[in-house]
Amino acid sequence: MPTPEHVILRELIAHEPGWVSGSSLAAKLGVSRVAIWQHMEKMRAAGFGFEAQRARGYRLVRRPPALHTALIETQLKVRPKHFSLLVLDEIDSTNDEAARQLAAGRPAPFAVLARRQTRGRGRFGRTWHSEANGNLYASFAFRPRVEPGRMQTFTLWMGVNLCELLANFAHVAPGLKWPNDILFNGRKAGGMLTEARVDADQIRDLVFGLGLNVNSSATDWPGELARRAVSLAEVTGEPLDLNRLAAALVGRVLLAYETFATGEHVARFADLWHRYDLLRGKSVALLEGGRRHHGVVMGVDDQGALLLRDAGHTHRFRAGEVTLEKPGA
Ligand code: BTN
């Protein structure tokens, strides 16, 4: 249900950088011009900047740098039935909040975004550093009714979709490190964490979490992380519009989910993975359940398992952590 804020933003964005008269906004909303002015004041307090001229009306001159629900929703290009978006100031973990909302019966799909996480989690129970520094912490919840075996390909499929999105949105060249890292020049900009609850042989519900470094800078990260992490803004050399990116992300993830659920992704997955795969042909070590394996990466199979070639044999791994071996090591 669009609020007055949605309607005002939709009109201003549609006419950007032009003007929209106060009377046309008032007519659209069926309220007085004074009421419009009051809405604009409220939006100013949330970080929007408007220029106002008696003869011409209003125009949008500044958008808030932090996540803003109505601004994201106004910029959504696709919006499936029942989809809802939750934007929180602070939460323990958006993945945990999405799981709680699913358990409470919230209709899926929905997305939970937070400006800051107090207990952001990564793979292997690691901490995902989640300050309110202009980055994205997002989780998407689905009730897919597919067998659990398809989860691995789900994360990889989301990964290639995110790379395509970032390449188009920010004109950058991301790469994927199996199974869930998005990298630029060897530094990590994003991580994915897919978690599911399984009933007998079907997935009951699934949460896809993404942490993406967007506008933070190296000085925002503690010690060692500052050397391994990178943000999109550092790659492009300029800050990105976080709300526009969030809207594009929501649209892309929902679309990618649809193609996955219908199985249409199968025909495109291998090609796309190949395009963004950073490991193919590289000598790596893979740590899996306390054992270290070595080999050359041959790609992934159609179940998303990593293929490692060692001494003439190809071995497949469904899980594990990969590190690149130094040439000649
Ligand atoms: C990894 O690289 O190990 C995965 C990191 C996933 C982090 C995201 S941030 C949003 C969502 N909420 C969490 O607690 N984790 C994921």
Side-chain angles (χ1 to χ4, degrees):
M1 188 53 192
T3 63
E5 215 177 19
H6 286 89
V7 175
I8 293 171
L9 281 175
R10 198 174 60 211
E11 289 300 305
L12 290 175
I13 290 172
H15 291 88
E16 221 173 6
W19 299 81
V20 179
S21 73
S23 54
S24 78
L25 289 174
K28 276 225 153 54
L29 284 165
V31 298
S32 69
R33 287 174 61 173
V34 175
I36 293 293
W37 180 82
Q38 284 166 343
H39 281 301
M40 309 287 259
E41 284 305 297
K42 224 179 95 203
M43 289 162 75
R44 275 198 174 100
F48 287 96
F50 305 107
E51 205 177 327
Q53 276 188 15
R54 191 180 293 271
R56 302 209 255 184
Y58 298 96
R59 67 175 180 167
L60 189 56
V61 290
R62 193 177 59 253
R63 296 163 182 236
L67 290 175
H68 187 280
T69 316
L71 188 52
I72 299 172
E73 286 177 337
T74 310
Q75 298 178 96
L76 278 182
K77 298 228 163 57
V78 284
R79 196 181 175 131
K81 240 191 178 163
H82 308 308
F83 172 75
S84 59
L85 173 70
L86 207 60
V87 179
L88 307 168
D89 200 39
E90 177 183 297
I91 194 74
D92 49 357
S93 147
T94 53
N95 266 33
D96 291 345
E97 180 58 21
R100 287 190 290 264
Q101 297 274 342
L102 279 167
R106 188 183 186 108
F110 62 86
V112 182
L113 272 60
R115 298 187 186 100
R116 172 169 186 263
Q117 297 184 118
T118 52
R119 298 184 59 180
R121 296 183 286 109
R123 281 172 88 217
F124 310 115
R126 290 185 188 135
T127 298
W128 185 261
H129 193 74
S130 309
E131 286 307 315
N133 51 12
N135 292 339
L136 274 179
Y137 314 112
S139 297
F140 296 83
F142 303 100
R143 293 197 174 87
R145 298 270 146 215
V146 298
E147 337 115 47
R150 291 183 61 198
M151 255 180 71
Q152 175 90 305
T153 32
F154 180 79
T155 308
L156 303 191
W157 175 241
M158 286 297 168
V160 295
N161 275 275
L162 294 174
C163 285
E164 289 227 294
L165 167 74
L166 297 179
N168 292 334
F169 187 93
H171 312 290
V172 289
L176 289 166
K177 176 170 166 260
W178 181 91
N180 72 324
D181 292 355
I182 301 173
L183 273 76
F184 291 92
N185 304 321
R187 289 181 173 219
K188 185 158 165 172
M192 299 173 278
L193 184 67
T194 306
E195 296 176 309
R197 288 193 300 171
V198 177
D199 273 337
D201 54 358
Q202 275 209 325
I203 291 181
R204 189 195 315 173
D205 46 45
L206 179 151
V207 173
F208 168 71
L210 169 72
L212 186 63
N213 304 332
V214 181
N215 283 328
S216 55
S217 65
T219 51
D220 292 333
W221 286 303
E224 163 64 2
L225 203 54
R227 280 188 291 281
R228 287 188 286 113
V230 71
S231 71
L232 285 170
E234 287 174 320
V235 176
T236 60
E238 56 189 6
L240 281 86
D241 181 338
L242 192 64
N243 287 293
R244 204 163 71 80
L245 178 58
L249 171 74
V250 171
R252 185 73 192 216
V253 169
L254 294 177
L255 198 72
Y257 174 76
E258 280 308 313
T259 39
F260 183 84
T262 56
E264 286 164 69
H265 71 296
V266 173
R268 288 168 46 215
F269 170 68
D271 268 0
L272 281 174
W273 183 264
H274 191 102
R275 184 179 309 166
Y276 294 108
D277 184 3
L278 291 171
L279 297 180
R280 198 186 189 94
K282 300 262 166 40
S283 290
V284 302
L286 181 135
L287 192 62
E288 183 223 23
R291 291 191 57 194
R292 187 174 287 273
H293 308 266
H294 299 269
V296 174
V297 176
M298 309 303 289
V300 298
D301 68 9
D302 54 9
Q303 264 124 59
L306 187 77
L307 302 173
L308 266 196
R309 189 137 182 99
D310 179 34
H313 293 284
T314 302
H315 307 272
R316 56 192 299 277
F317 295 92
R318 297 190 54 78
E321 174 151 51
V322 176
T323 42
L324 284 175
E325 306 243 271
K326 291 202 178 63

